[in-house]
Amino acid sequence: MHLIIAEKHIAAKRIAAILASEKIKQVRVSGVDTYEYESEEGKKVFIGLSGHIVKLDFPKAYNNWQKVEANELIGAEIITASTQVKIVSALKKLGKEATKVTIATDYDREGELIGAEALDIIKQVNPDVVFDRVHYSAITPKAIDAAFSNPTNVDFNLADAGHSRQVIDLVWGASLTRYISLAAGRLGKMFLSVGRVQSPTLALIVEREKEREAFIPRPYWELSAMLKSKNGEEFKVEHRTKRFWEKAEVDAAMDKISIGDNATVTELTTSEKTDKPPTPFNTTEFISAASSIGFTAANAMRIAETLYTNGFISYPRTDNTVYPDTIDLRAQIEIFKTGAFKQYALKLLEKKELVPTKGKKETTDHPPIFPASLAKKSEMNEQEWKLYEMVVRRFFATFADPAIWETIRSKYDIKGEEFKANGARLVEPGWRWYYHYNAPEDRLLPKMEEADVHSVLKIDVEAKETQPPGRYGQGRLIKIMEELGLGTKATRHDIISKLYSRAYVHGNPLQPTKTAVAVVDTLEKFAPTISKPDMTSKLEADMDRIAEGDIPEDEVLNESREMLELVFDELGKNKDDISESLRAGLREDKIIGVCSECGSNLMVMRSKRGGRFIGCEGYPDCTFSLPLPKMGQVIVTDKLCEDHGLYHIRIINAGKRPWNLGCPECNFIEWQKTQEEEKQKQKEQSSDKEKPKTLNDISGIGKVTAEKLADAGICSVDELCEADALELAKATSIPVKKIKTWQSDIV
């Protein structure tokens, strides 16, 4: 039996369907779906994993944070534990029967490690099994047939590189997280996460925020005029001095000109600008482009993975920006001669020669991201189609001609003051016809010639201030991480997601919380190695050398442990200062504002029962408080409520969209209002119900019973309602319970 192992279930199913000459049979093994068919060589069975089916961990003895010092984890034994018991069981069962195993996981560092992990499990029950490896960059018939026709060997060096990353990240992350969390007194779900890649990335965000806070705006003025051409067209011109830094200077220029003055064209230059086509998508460029149309990095990669496993695009984790010679690019475009992109494909196919653009990075593992097959919009959800369309259009654009712009630069004299205006018009769309994202708009000027005279309709002076540097968007941050060697194409988006889940950042562009600032400040002051990219990029380079077979894995692991020992030496010298620094910084992240009743700080607090609320530091003299939701992490933003002087808050729950609660006092007032409205509504509904008018209207009171009640002195509904049920029961022999039921019906 030939066992083929894919990285995911859907990939196994698709590959089996592609390779089978007949219908595949679904068979359940140890609770896991497998796919099989008979071939000339015998039975072939396909199984999909779930990514990593084992994980690295420390022995249970190291789990107690209070008893085991953080630095003891540096040299601790590392064990392997199963995370997918059913899949491991199925692998062992199938592995015993297998005469051959083919690893068909994704071809990158992680994929090679995932395949090697599965192979190790099979070798436990079948040590002599024969195995090989197949590489593919798209799950399409052509790519899969080619891969299985040319099997190769498992690259254990590449797998070791992936394994070394797991070990290093576990040891660094677990030991430093434990140390910093204990120092800050933040345990349980509120622990402070520290990581080899995560912390330098967070430091970049905090550093940018500090630049913004330290920024001192400088006032300036802009002078512009609205002109009217001979043909009656209106257009705007700006003073040659882009920014007036002195108010007196702009006032002096204003004093010279007035509405109704002539504006004479003194210079007119027309030229042509060539706008080159974009380069092919690699992972970083793809995430950046997806970010510009509203996708988070993690969501873009999640959807890209779905498109890949369904055979619609090529492998989305790649550094390559040069199409390899092995791809028949014309044939790839011909796929789209029908369907939604027909007109674009046919236009490109008119070219005698298809010459794509090339980026600066060229690798041999995977090609740039390109559309692998034709898809219909009905086959996808809205987000999937949006990204698929972007990949198709980018692919087409790399073969297209440059876009040509006609540019016009003009200058005008108004009473000795020089003004200018620039215009641009797209005359040849070129690649922008295929790839329309973020296209600049035409800036049209009226037709004119030098010495033409226009009239001044309006003069405008606008007071402005210089702006601080912008926060990083996710796409921009990933580019910087790539430049600094932080993480890999496969991990950078996960690092950013982790910063959100740890409540270190919020919003997009990314804004750090006070907690993030406290952690980074402490690390930079007492253990700067953790917050700088140098150490991380050095280890990344060493892992690349493992993959290339230049150095053994153990050498890099030992080096990383030595580096971490030095970090703990730094931490140990400043233990008390670290604790004080963290606790002071974390306290700031709990301040919501100032109490309107006593002027003390309003803080996020916890009750004796563990519930949380916003309370006043002036307690017990001041008892002002506001409620908070029971679940989720509270993020204090920098947006201030003008009515109550309190910072808006955001609630973060794992796996859910952030809840922008806004001003907690406004929210509470609105909640109270809603509650009152609901009570009033219920009261009105209750009063609207028709009450019984006679005894016979009450359910269960017949004519005989009504006569008994009348004999007992009850002759109306109101009298029955007000009667003593016990006394009435004695007088009429009617059970007390029944009388009370009638009375409640009346009410």
Side-chain angles (χ1 to χ4, degrees):
M1 182 261 283
H2 183 184
L3 178 62
I4 296 96
I5 301 171
E7 192 158 322
K8 293 186 177 177
H9 172 80
I10 189 171
K13 186 177 181 180
R14 280 188 54 78
I15 293 170
I18 288 169
L19 294 176
S21 56
E22 56 187 55
K23 190 175 181 181
I24 58 174
K25 185 165 72 170
Q26 183 173 317
V27 179
R28 205 157 176 80
V29 178
S30 299
V32 178
D33 286 333
T34 66
Y35 303 92
E36 64 178 54
Y37 67 88
E38 292 291 338
S39 70
E40 293 179 1
E41 297 87 19
K43 185 164 72 171
K44 293 184 183 291
V45 178
F46 298 76
I47 185 171
L49 308 177
S50 181
H52 289 285
I53 55 175
V54 295
K55 70 171 183 175
L56 302 182
D57 205 350
F58 299 106
K60 287 185 179 179
Y62 289 87
N63 289 349
N64 192 315
W65 285 31
Q66 306 294 343
K67 293 182 179 179
V68 180
E69 293 290 336
N71 62 346
E72 292 181 48
L73 297 175
I74 299 173
E77 176 193 1
I78 292 177
I79 60 174
T80 301
S82 171
T83 57
Q84 299 287 338
V85 178
K86 289 182 179 179
I87 295 177
V88 170
S89 176
L91 277 177
K92 287 181 176 179
K93 190 170 182 179
L94 293 169
K96 284 181 183 178
E97 305 171 27
T99 54
K100 182 181 178 182
V101 171
T102 294
I103 302 299
T105 50
D106 296 341
Y107 180 43
D108 60 9
R109 196 176 289 179
E110 287 301 304
E112 206 72 14
L113 177 57
I114 289 166
E117 290 168 350
L119 193 57
D120 284 342
I121 290 167
I122 291 171
K123 282 186 171 183
Q124 292 172 20
V125 295
N126 189 353
D128 301 321
V129 69
V130 176
F131 58 89
D132 60 14
R133 177 75 160 103
V134 292
H135 298 155
Y136 52 88
S137 294
I139 307 179
T140 59
K142 185 178 178 181
I144 295 301
D145 286 338
F148 278 82
S149 298
N150 298 281
T152 184
N153 299 318
V154 174
D155 188 342
F156 289 104
N157 288 330
L158 191 61
D160 284 347
H163 182 262
S164 67
R165 176 186 302 284
Q166 284 191 333
V167 174
I168 291 169
D169 286 349
L170 172 66
V171 174
W172 280 73
S175 59
L176 290 170
T177 293
R178 182 174 298 192
Y179 184 92
I180 295 298
S181 297
L182 286 169
R186 287 278 292 266
L187 307 179
K189 292 181 180 179
M190 300 298 289
F191 69 90
L192 296 178
S193 177
V194 180
R196 181 182 64 87
V197 180
Q198 177 195 129
S199 296
T201 302
L202 184 60
L204 290 172
I205 299 166
V206 170
E207 184 181 340
R208 176 51 62 98
E209 196 67 20
K210 287 182 177 179
E211 288 174 12
R212 289 172 55 82
E213 290 172 356
F215 182 83
I216 299 173
R218 186 181 174 190
Y220 66 92
W221 292 263
E222 290 181 351
L223 176 58
S224 63
M226 188 66 69
L227 306 184
K228 186 175 184 180
S229 72
K230 291 185 296 183
N231 299 327
E233 296 176 80
E234 296 180 7
F235 62 103
K236 185 179 179 181
V237 295
E238 296 174 342
H239 196 277
R240 65 170 295 180
T241 304
K242 179 69 177 172
R243 293 179 175 182
F244 287 92
W245 297 105
E246 298 295 334
K247 183 70 164 61
E249 291 180 7
V250 72
D251 288 343
M254 276 284 289
D255 290 342
K256 288 185 182 181
I257 60 177
S258 57
I259 295 172
D261 286 345
N262 289 334
T264 305
V265 181
T266 58
E267 189 178 315
L268 195 64
T269 306
T270 302
S271 59
E272 200 173 76
K273 179 187 173 185
T274 300
D275 190 0
K276 292 181 180 180
T279 57
F281 268 152
N282 64 5
T283 303
T284 300
E285 291 300 324
F286 167 76
I287 290 175
S288 180
S291 178
S292 72
I293 59 172
F295 288 86
T296 64
N299 199 29
M301 287 306 294
R302 179 187 62 78
I303 294 170
E305 181 71 24
T306 299
L307 294 175
Y308 160 68
T309 52
N310 282 286
F312 294 128
I313 68 171
S314 63
Y315 193 57
R317 295 182 176 88
T318 176
D319 290 322
N320 202 353
T321 55
V322 179
Y323 297 124
D325 295 335
T326 52
I327 299 178
D328 185 340
L329 297 171
R330 184 171 287 274
Q332 206 62 36
I333 295 171
E334 285 177 346
I335 292 172
F336 297 91
K337 284 166 65 175
T338 60
F341 307 102
K342 176 182 175 180
Q343 61 174 328
Y344 304 102
L346 293 177
K347 183 71 174 174
L348 279 181
L349 292 170
E350 291 175 4
K351 285 175 168 281
K352 290 182 179 179
E353 193 176 5
L354 290 166
V355 181
T357 56
K358 293 182 179 182
K360 294 179 181 179
K361 293 188 176 182
E362 186 171 8
T363 60
T364 56
D365 51 353
H366 290 287
I369 303 169
F370 68 91
S373 64
L374 177 65
K376 296 177 182 177
K377 199 169 184 178
S378 58
E379 294 176 290
M380 303 177 186
N381 63 37
E382 185 180 348
Q383 286 194 321
E384 288 168 350
W385 178 261
K386 200 172 179 181
L387 284 185
Y388 173 74
E389 180 182 6
M390 188 178 74
V391 170
V392 173
R393 289 183 174 279
R394 180 64 164 241
F395 178 63
F396 287 166
T398 62
F399 300 95
D401 297 325
I404 307 297
W405 293 82
E406 179 187 74
T407 61
I408 301 172
R409 299 178 67 183
S410 56
K411 294 181 180 179
Y412 310 82
D413 178 75
I414 308 176
K415 291 285 184 70
E417 292 294 320
E418 185 179 297
F419 285 74
K420 61 182 182 177
N422 295 329
R425 181 172 66 91
L426 186 62
V427 291
E428 291 290 342
W431 65 271
R432 287 196 176 276
W433 181 62
Y434 300 90
Y435 191 80
H436 55 257
Y437 306 95
N438 304 315
E441 294 181 356
D442 287 353
R443 302 186 307 278
L444 301 178
L445 294 176
K447 286 185 178 181
M448 65 181 80
E449 295 178 0
E450 286 188 16
D452 278 357
V453 177
H454 308 294
S455 58
V456 177
L457 291 179
K458 184 182 177 184
I459 301 165
D460 188 38
V461 173
E462 192 172 358
K464 293 186 176 182
E465 286 185 337
T466 53
Q467 297 299 307
R471 295 185 176 107
Y472 295 127
Q474 293 190 26
R476 175 66 181 138
L477 182 60
I478 281 178
K479 282 190 173 183
I480 294 172
M481 291 171 72
E482 182 182 42
E483 291 166 6
L484 295 174
L486 292 173
T488 68
K489 57 184 178 288
T491 62
R492 291 182 188 113
H493 63 281
D494 286 330
I495 292 296
I496 293 175
S497 293
K498 194 171 285 187
L499 294 179
Y500 279 106
S501 67
R502 303 299 190 217
Y504 280 147
V505 299
H506 61 94
N508 189 23
L510 292 86
Q511 182 178 352
T513 60
K514 293 286 197 309
T515 296
V517 175
V519 170
V520 169
D521 282 352
T522 302
L523 294 178
E524 287 186 339
K525 188 174 181 181
F526 300 110
T529 306
I530 308 171
S531 62
K532 304 298 181 197
D534 308 50
M535 167 273 299
T536 289
S537 58
K538 167 72 169 65
L539 289 174
E540 293 289 351
D542 285 346
M543 285 182 240
D544 289 339
R545 293 177 67 198
I546 295 172
E548 292 159 8
D550 293 341
I551 51 175
E553 180 185 3
D554 284 346
E555 187 176 322
V556 175
L557 294 181
N558 289 334
E559 181 187 22
S560 77
R561 287 187 168 99
E562 288 169 5
M563 294 168 80
L564 189 53
E565 290 280 8
L566 292 174
V567 169
F568 268 91
D569 286 344
E570 292 177 315
L571 294 172
K573 293 172 186 174
N574 302 283
K575 190 172 182 179
D576 293 339
D577 291 335
I578 289 170
S579 181
E580 184 181 335
S581 174
L582 285 169
R583 291 172 189 265
L586 295 177
R587 181 182 178 279
E588 286 187 32
D589 214 5
K590 294 182 178 180
I591 298 175
I592 304 294
V594 176
C595 178
S596 58
E597 296 187 5
C598 74
S600 300
N601 282 330
L602 290 178
M603 308 276 292
V604 177
M605 297 181 174
R606 285 202 174 273
S607 66
K608 291 180 180 179
R609 294 183 179 180
R612 63 186 183 185
F613 62 98
I614 294 172
C616 181
E617 276 194 317
Y619 180 85
D621 296 330
C622 179
T623 57
F624 180 83
S625 67
L626 293 168
L628 280 173
K630 292 180 180 179
M631 305 296 289
Q633 295 193 59
V634 179
I635 303 294
V636 182
T637 73
D638 59 354
K639 187 175 181 180
L640 201 64
C641 173
E642 293 181 3
D643 293 332
H644 302 108
L646 302 182
Y647 288 109
H648 286 212
I649 60 177
R650 178 178 289 179
I651 307 297
I652 307 291
N653 283 295
K656 296 181 180 178
R657 284 183 176 275
W659 173 21
N660 291 314
L661 191 69
C663 167
E665 190 160 358
C666 289
N667 186 277
F668 182 59
I669 292 169
E670 188 63 30
W671 178 81
Q672 285 182 313
K673 183 181 175 183
T674 304
Q675 292 294 105
E676 286 300 320
E677 289 174 353
E678 188 63 31
K679 283 181 182 178
Q680 184 61 30
K681 188 177 178 182
Q682 290 177 355
K683 188 176 179 182
E684 289 172 359
Q685 288 175 343
S686 177
S687 64
D688 286 344
K689 288 181 181 177
E690 190 175 342
K691 293 182 179 180
K693 294 183 175 61
T694 68
L695 293 180
N696 288 332
D697 292 330
I698 301 172
S699 177
I701 297 184
K703 185 178 178 183
V704 174
T705 308
E707 288 174 356
K708 279 187 181 181
L709 293 171
D711 291 341
I714 300 300
C715 56
S716 73
V717 169
D718 290 337
E719 287 171 326
L720 173 59
C721 181
E722 293 171 4
D724 182 284
L726 187 60
E727 293 298 323
L728 192 57
K730 288 178 181 177
T732 60
S733 301
I734 298 171
V736 174
K737 188 176 181 181
K738 186 169 284 190
I739 293 170
K740 286 186 175 180
T741 300
W742 293 336
Q743 289 176 329
S744 68
D745 287 345
I746 296 169
V747 176

